[in-house]
Amino acid sequence: MVLLAGCADLTVNLTYTPQTKIEGLTIGVPITVFRFVDARGEEGDKGDVYRVGGVYNGYGMRLAKILSPTPWPEALVRDLGAAFTERGVKTVLVEDRLYEKGNAVTTPLVLTGEIRNFSTENRWAGFLAHVSGIVRVYDQSGAQLSEKAVSARLRPNDEEFKTASGQALLERMLNRAVAEFVRQVVTDQELTQRLLAGR
C-alpha cells in the first residue's frame, strides 16, 4: 500500500458515535470517570496529548505526525461518559485530573486506568488503528475492585476503503477503534455486575 504523500503533519478529529451494540441497564449506580494516565511512551511523544498517530516509510522512519485539535485524554473521558449514559448510568466526568486514592468522589464506583496505545497509522504494511490500556475500577473509599486489559486493534474495512482515503481514512479508523474500546469498557461483564449491585 502506498504511503500518504508529503511530510506535513495531518489533523484528525475525534468524534464519538453512539453504539447500537450497547445494551441499556434498568438500574445502574452512578460512576465517576477520571482522566487516564498517558502510558504510550515514545508512541505519544512522551505525553503529547495532541499526538494520535503517524505516517511512516518502509524503514519505520516517521514522515508525519497525526494530531488531534483537542486533547485525546479529555475526549476519551467524554466518550466513556456518553457510552455510560447510553446504558442509563449516571456519570461524573473528571477530564482534567488523574485519580488518586483519597480523591473525594460522590459516586459508589470510580473508573480510570492507563492508555498504552492511542493511534492511527499508515505504515508500509498498511493502515492500522490501535487503542489499548489497563482499565481499573475502584470503590468510593479507594479500594481497587478490578483491573483489566482492554484492546481495540483494527484495519480498514471494505466500506472505509470504498468511501475514504488518506487522512479521512485514518480519522475514521481511529474513531472506530476508540468506539470499540469504549464499548468493551462500558459493557464489561464484571463492571456491569458492579453497576447493578452498587458496589
Side-chain angles (χ1 to χ4, degrees), residues 103-150:
N103 285 144
V105 293
T106 58
T107 61
L109 297 174
V110 172
L111 180 84
T112 189
E114 60 187 59
I115 295 298
R116 297 182 177 175
N117 298 95
F118 195 104
S119 68
T120 183
E121 300 177 352
N122 182 9
R123 293 182 181 270
W124 190 255
F127 291 88
L128 173 70
H130 190 197
V131 178
S132 73
I134 304 297
V135 177
R136 298 184 182 96
V137 178
Y138 297 85
D139 68 13
Q140 194 170 12
S141 70
Q144 184 174 313
L145 302 175
S146 67
E147 178 178 281
K148 186 167 290 188
V150 178

